Each structure stands twice: as C-alpha cells, then as structure tokens.
C-alpha cells in the first residue's frame, strides 16, 4: 500500500526520419509511464493516469489476471522500453558507422609514399659524410632529413658530388650565400649546384627549407633557382625521370624508387609541366618552358599569363620573373600582327628589377646582360653601370645610417640591407664576392641568428 516513486532519466525522442516502429513504441511507453523529474524532485505525487496506477492501484486491477509485466509493474514496462530503445539505437549506430566507413574508404584519396631519407649507393660514403659534416661542423645546424636522397638525385642528374676540400678547385667567384655540394663541367664552364641557406633578402631558413640553386662562378654573378627546397626537387626529378625513361635518368629512378611514389599518369611534356605546377610545386624552368611553348605557338596571351603567374610565385624575392616578363612583352607583344603594343609595360618590368629592392644576383643567369636590362629600364638618373654602382654603394652606407638614426629600422635589419647593397654593387663591377667576404662577415656577425652564415663565409674563404 506504500507509494513507490521511480526516478528514471528522461529521453528526448529521436528525429522522425531516424525512428523505427520499435523506437516509436518504446518512447510511447516511456512517455506514458515515466513521471516528471521536476515533480519527483519537489516531493509531490505526480499526477496523471500512469502515476495514479502506480501509487494507488485499484481493486479491479489487482484482481485481474496478469497479462504482461508492463501492465502489472510500470517499472518493468519502463525497463523493457529502455532495453528496446537501447538495442534499437545500438543497431542504428552500428549501421551508420558501417555506412560511414564504406563512404570514407570510397572517398579517401590515393595515399602517396612520403619521402624518407635513405642512403644511396650512387654517392660514395665518404662524400656523404663530408656533406653532413658541413651542416654539423661548419653551419652547426642539424642535417636535413633528405640530404642523402638529394645527393643521389644530384649525382643522377649529371653532377659530381664534392668530397673533402674539393670545393677549393672550383675557383671563380662563389656567392656568399651558396653552400656548394656538387659540380658539373670543367674549367670556366663549371656549374656549381648547392643550397641557398638564406632567402635572397637575407631572411633565415630552416635546414630542410634551404633552396636548391646553381651558379656559374667563372662567368656570372647571378644565382639560378631550381626548386624552393630539396623535397620539391626530389619529387620533380623523380617524375621527370619516370616520364622520359632515358638512359641518363636510370640513376635518378634507382635513387628515388624506394622513397617516392610516382603519380603522373602519362601524356606529353605539356601535360607533365602542368601537372608538376599543380601537384608538386612552382619551378622556374617549368614555368618558362610552358610559357615559351604557348608564346611560340598560336596562343601568346596564354604564354603571357603563365609568365605573369611565375612573377606572382617568385616576384616578391627574386628578380628573374620581372626580367622574363619584360622579355616576353618586348619580343612577343611589340604591336606587330594581331597582338597589341605593350612596350610601356615592358619598360616598367625592367625598371622594377632595379627600383623594387630585388637583389641583382637573382636576375636571369642566361638572359640579357645587366647593361642591356638597364638600357631597357630607361631611367634618367641611372643611365649607365657607373651610376648604378654608385647608387647601390650609397644605399649600403648613407641610406642605412640615416634609417637607423630615425629609428625606422633596427641595427640588424640595417646590417642585412647593407650586405645586400654590397652584393648588388659587386654585380655592377664593385670588387667581387670574394673581395667583400670579410666585410660581409663582420656585418652579419652583428645580426642575431646569422651564425650559420658567418661560419660558412669563414669556411669557404678563398
């Protein structure tokens, strides 16, 4: 005769779109039998036919034969309803998870094998050890993770990896930012391949992000960019080697077969160039090849768009994209035939090579001479190389000193700007890179974080 109170958790009914017949019946039973939690918390007897049946069962109900457990005991009915609901919900969740798993497996992209640094037999072990010592002992930074594979790819691309002290036989005028690792050719035609350990404007780089560059130290002061880092260069060379499958590419294929999964499906050279730019990264030589193909064909405007895209990719730090756009506008948009005259834009692109702060050693290595480019810029106050040299020397001294006095730049930034102006003056005929190494070393020694660069300048002193 006592009163029994059942305080069970309330359940929010599921959405109609996911509710089956069993769940609907279970929720109907719960709604009819469960008391309100607020009434139970207040200690009041809940009203309603379901609670009345629990608190004060009638004699007629007691005399009736038991039909179901839920009819005699609301608690049993509620328990059965909860059990049915739990079973149904669990089944639905398992079905949903299974469907989601199948959909995820169908939509998952094809995974490519990550690049993993592994030693290659193509490069002698003593040369690999020497290259690693340049990072550990000279630069005093950690060795890049893909250095072994990178050296093997350089070897397979026609370069000879340098051993201990072999860099002394290069000669010429090596750029102070360049870490030489391999050479190609002999005598004055030698080409040095290596890593640019600072950005062109002097900003720092992590060892894995050192830029892959080349220089011909006997014939040019400019540095040519091959790839923005070693990883991109390895992927590019692997794709090209598998596409051409020439005898000279077999060593690259062998060096990269276990560290990179080739993804290009086939087609012609144009398709490969487009795929590299879209799927791997930005490469100056790929941009130029694709642009010239359209410029020399029937669609010069597309070639100009590609050249302008290259300028957007590299034009913030490098000068060669602006020089290339100037060449494209001058040669292919002179107003002859069906194309419009864009000589004024060509003049502006040439002018930006000198007035926008891009280092002169980042211009085209095989393009027009610096004197010819200066003539195309048509700047009244900088009409010859002597005026240009004085302009950069003034930037290296007076301009930076005035900027420090006014507080517009810090001492470290002023030192980096002065070093860049000195190297620009070298491109205009002032001394040589070897002649300003000591001065650069003293400048960069004042800049925090330039210790690797200072150590490299000291180590590769001619």
């Amino acid at each position: 005769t006592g009163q029994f109170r059942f305080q069970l958790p309330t359940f929010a009914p599921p959405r109609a779109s996911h509710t089956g017949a069993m769940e609907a019946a279970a929720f109907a039973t719960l709604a009819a039998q469960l008391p309100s939690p607020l009434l139970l918390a207040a200690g009041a007897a809940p009203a309603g036919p379901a609670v009345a049946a629990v608190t004060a069962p009638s004699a007629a109900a007691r005399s009736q034969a038991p039909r179901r457990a839920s009819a005699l005991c609301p608690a049993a009915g509620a328990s059965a309803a909860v059990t049915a609901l739990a079973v149904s919900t669990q089944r639905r969740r398992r079905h949903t998870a299974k469907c989601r798993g199948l959909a995820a497996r169908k939509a998952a992209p094809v995974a490519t094998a990550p690049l993993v640094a592994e030693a290659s037999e193509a490069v002698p072990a003593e040369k690999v050890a020497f290259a690693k010592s340049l990072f550990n002992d000279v630069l005093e930074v950690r060795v890049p993770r893909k250095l072994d594979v990178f050296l093997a790819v350089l070897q397979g691309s026609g370069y000879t990896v340098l051993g201990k002290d072999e860099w002394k036989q290069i000669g010429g005028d090596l750029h102070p930012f360049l870490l030489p690792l391999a050479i190609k050719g002999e005598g004055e035609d030698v080409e040095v391949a290596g890593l640019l350990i600072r950005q062109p404007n002097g900003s720092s780089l992590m060892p894995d992000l050192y830029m892959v560059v080349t220089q011909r130290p006997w014939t040019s002061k400019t540095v040519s960019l091959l790839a923005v880092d070693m990883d991109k260069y390895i992927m590019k060379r692997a794709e090209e080697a598998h596409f051409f499958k020439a005898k000279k590419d077999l060593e690259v294929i062998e060096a990269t077969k276990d560290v990179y999964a080739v993804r290009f499906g086939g087609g012609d050279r144009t398709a490969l160039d487009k795929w590299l730019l879209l799927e791997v990264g930005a490469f100056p030589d790929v941009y130029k090849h694709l642009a010239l193909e359209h410029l020399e064909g029937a669609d010069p405007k597309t070639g100009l768009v590609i050249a302008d895209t290259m300028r957007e990719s590299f034009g913030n730090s490098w000068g060669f994209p602006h020089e290339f756009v100037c060449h494209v506008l001058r040669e292919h948009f002179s107003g002859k035939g069906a194309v419009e005259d864009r000589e004024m834009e060509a003049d502006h692109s040439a002018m930006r090579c000198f007035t926008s702060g891009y280092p002169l050693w980042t211009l085209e290595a095989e393009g027009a001479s610096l004197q010819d480019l200066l003539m195309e810029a048509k700047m009244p106050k900088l009409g010859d190389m002597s005026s240009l040299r004085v302009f950069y020397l003034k930037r290296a001294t007076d301009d930076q000193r005035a900027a420090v006095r006014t507080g517009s730049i810090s001492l470290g930034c002023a030192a980096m700007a002065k070093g860049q102006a000195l190297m620009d003056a070298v491109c205009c005929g002032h001394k040589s890179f070897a002649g300003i190494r000591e001065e650069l070393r003293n400048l960069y020694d004042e800049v925090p974080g330039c210790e690797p660069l200072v150590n490299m300048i000291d180590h590769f002193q001619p």
Side-chain angles (χ1 to χ4, degrees), residues 274 290-291 294-295 298-309 333:
K274 293 179 180 179
L290 196 59
H294 287 279
L295 289 168
D299 193 7
K301 290 187 177 180
T302 300
L304 178 60
V305 170
I306 296 173
D308 192 63
T309 304
F333 292 87

Side-chain angles (χ1 to χ4, degrees), residues 176-201:
F177 285 8
L178 176 59
L179 177 66
L181 294 176
I183 60 172
K184 179 194 296 185
E186 297 178 354
E188 295 185 357
D189 295 329
V190 66
E191 179 179 290
V192 180
L195 300 174
L196 201 69
I197 70 169
R198 307 283 293 194
Q199 292 187 10
N201 60 4

Side-chain angles (χ1 to χ4, degrees), residues 95-111:
H95 177 71
T96 303
K98 182 178 179 181
C99 294
R100 288 177 178 174
L102 291 174
R105 286 193 293 270
K106 291 180 180 179
V110 179

Side-chain angles (χ1 to χ4, degrees), residues 122-376:
V123 183
E126 60 273 11
K127 292 188 176 182
V128 175
F130 170 72
K132 291 182 178 180
S133 69
L134 293 177
F135 293 89
N136 290 327
D137 303 332
V138 178
L139 302 181
E140 296 181 354
V141 297
R142 64 175 178 83
V143 178
R145 293 179 293 111
K146 303 174 180 66
L147 180 63
D148 295 12
V149 180
F150 174 67
L151 294 176
V153 172
L154 281 180
Q155 184 100 345
S157 301
Y159 292 92
T160 301
V161 178
L162 294 174
K164 184 177 181 180
D165 294 335
E166 290 181 352
W167 64 270
K168 297 179 180 179
Q169 303 174 7
I170 296 175
D173 200 15
L174 199 64
H175 193 278
F177 285 8
L178 176 59
L179 177 66
L181 294 176
I183 60 172
K184 179 194 296 185
E186 297 178 354
E188 295 185 357
D189 295 329
V190 66
E191 179 179 290
V192 180
L195 300 174
L196 201 69
I197 70 169
R198 307 283 293 194
Q199 292 187 10
N201 60 4
S203 301
S204 61
L205 289 170
M206 298 298 292
D208 287 324
L209 300 180
Y210 287 168
M211 299 181 177
V212 183
V213 297
T214 61
Q215 183 196 4
R216 296 182 179 272
W218 283 93
T219 59
S220 177
K221 306 291 185 185
T222 57
V223 173
S224 300
L225 177 66
L226 297 184
V228 294
D229 56 49
M230 287 177 280
D231 193 357
K232 295 289 192 296
Y233 181 76
I234 293 171
M235 291 190 287
K236 174 179 179 288
R237 290 295 298 122
E239 296 288 354
E240 290 176 340
H242 278 270
F243 174 77
F244 293 110
K245 288 186 171 61
K247 185 177 180 180
K248 63 179 181 179
D249 298 319
L250 295 179
E251 194 169 344
V252 175
I253 296 175
E254 183 68 21
T256 59
K257 67 178 183 180
D258 296 328
V259 297
Y260 176 71
V262 177
R263 295 177 290 163
F264 181 64
D268 55 6
R269 176 61 189 273
T270 302
L272 174 63
D273 289 342
K274 293 179 180 179
W275 188 89
L276 287 174
L277 295 178
L278 292 174
E279 300 294 334
V280 179
F283 302 96
D285 61 330
V286 178
Y287 271 121
K288 293 175 186 177
H289 180 269
L290 196 59
L292 291 175
E293 182 178 353
H294 287 279
L295 289 168
E296 296 171 356
D299 193 7
K301 290 187 177 180
T302 300
L304 178 60
V305 170
I306 296 173
D308 192 63
T309 304
M310 182 179 70
R311 181 167 60 179
E312 292 181 0
S313 299
F314 303 105
N316 292 331
S317 302
W318 295 79
F320 70 85
H322 304 280
E323 183 180 356
F324 184 74
V325 170
C326 173
H327 168 75
V328 169
L329 293 172
R330 193 83 70 192
E331 296 294 329
H332 300 277
F333 292 87
S334 58
K336 299 178 181 179
V339 296
E340 63 272 24
D341 186 0
R342 308 185 75 163
E343 289 288 331
M344 185 177 296
E345 295 179 49
D347 296 343
H348 181 68
S349 295
M351 188 183 303
R352 292 188 65 182
C353 296
F354 300 98
T355 61
S356 297
Y358 308 118
L360 296 184
W361 52 268
T362 64
L363 294 173
E364 287 276 1
E366 299 179 356
S369 65
L370 193 60
Q371 177 69 40
D372 294 339
L373 187 62
L374 184 61
M375 294 296 102
E376 292 189 19

